[in-house]
């Protein structure tokens, strides 16, 4: 087998999803998590457009890798069992670590809580799209944008908040 044949076989996907499916899922993740991140960016929060997109892309990538592993020859081994909850737990733990770094307690107030939650939402959107659950991802993104924009305006209007990212 020539080097070109090996390269073509390697890039053909084998057990992976078809390249167009992977591309569409990653592009969808960028779009939906970008909407969440854009709201945070406009608000001038530390975790904005790029951070939310990267969190979503990482989550989608982990989901795509998991699908690939399940479909691979490795999964035929009796010692290997697919447990989708491990994927969710691993992504959740990783994003919780990042979000905790965003949340600050200063001068008797908690700041960054909504930004940390938006990162968590972006991770869940990325997981959903990576696993092919588009309706869940789109509905979560729409709900997230509504919560971040409309509810903030209502809080400001009714004097509940000054517009800051506090508890």
């Amino acid at each position: 087998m020539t080097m070109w044949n090996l390269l073509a076989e390697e890039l053909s996907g084998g057990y992976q999803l078809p390249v167009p499916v992977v591309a569409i899922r990653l592009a969808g993740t960028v779009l939906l998590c970008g909407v969440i991140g854009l709201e945070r960016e406009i608000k001038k929060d530390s975790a904005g457009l790029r951070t939310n997109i990267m969190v979503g892309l990482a989550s989608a990538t982990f989901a795509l890798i998991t699908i690939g592993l399940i479909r691979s020859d490795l999964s035929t081994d009796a010692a290997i069992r697919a447990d989708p909850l491990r994927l969710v737990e691993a992504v959740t733990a990783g994003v919780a670590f990042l979000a905790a770094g965003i949340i600050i307690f200063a001068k008797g107030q908690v700041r960054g809580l909504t930004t940390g939650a938006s990162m968590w939402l972006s991770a869940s959107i990325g997981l959903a799209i990576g696993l092919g659950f588009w309706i869940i991802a789109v509905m979560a993104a729409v709900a997230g944008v509504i919560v971040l924009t409309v509810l903030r305006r209502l809080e400001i209007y009714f004097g509940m908040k000054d517009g800051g990212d506090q508890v």
Side-chain angles (χ1 to χ4, degrees):
M1 190 175 266
T2 69
M3 180 177 79
W4 293 113
N5 288 346
L6 285 172
L7 182 61
E9 184 179 326
E10 178 67 21
L11 296 178
S12 68
Y15 63 86
Q16 299 174 8
L17 291 169
V19 172
V21 171
V22 172
I24 289 169
R25 288 183 184 184
L26 293 178
T29 299
V30 168
L31 178 69
L32 292 180
C33 293
V35 172
I36 302 293
L38 183 62
E39 190 282 335
R40 299 279 82 197
E41 194 76 36
I42 290 169
K43 177 94 174 34
K44 305 274 190 243
D45 284 315
S46 56
L49 185 64
R50 292 182 303 158
T51 303
N52 278 277
I53 290 173
M54 293 300 287
V55 166
L57 275 176
S59 300
T61 301
F62 288 132
L64 292 166
I65 290 168
T66 300
I67 291 170
L69 285 171
I70 291 170
R71 293 182 174 188
S72 75
D73 293 336
L74 294 173
S75 67
T76 59
D77 187 344
I80 297 177
R81 292 186 311 251
D83 183 359
L85 290 180
R86 288 184 183 180
L87 169 66
V88 174
E89 289 171 351
V91 169
T92 300
V95 174
F97 177 78
L98 290 174
I102 296 291
I103 299 167
I104 300 168
F105 182 75
K107 298 179 184 174
Q109 293 184 338
V110 176
R111 302 196 62 78
L113 200 54
T114 304
T115 301
S118 74
M119 290 171 55
W120 205 19
L121 177 62
S122 288
S124 69
I125 290 168
L127 268 178
I129 293 175
L131 293 170
F133 299 124
W134 284 90
I135 292 174
I136 294 170
V138 169
M139 291 176 78
V142 168
V145 169
I146 289 170
V147 167
L148 290 170
T149 58
V150 175
L151 291 184
R152 180 186 322 116
R153 289 184 185 134
L154 286 174
E155 287 175 338
I156 293 169
Y157 179 78
F158 287 111
M160 300 163 64
K161 301 272 187 205
D162 63 1
D165 189 16
Q166 302 169 353
V167 173

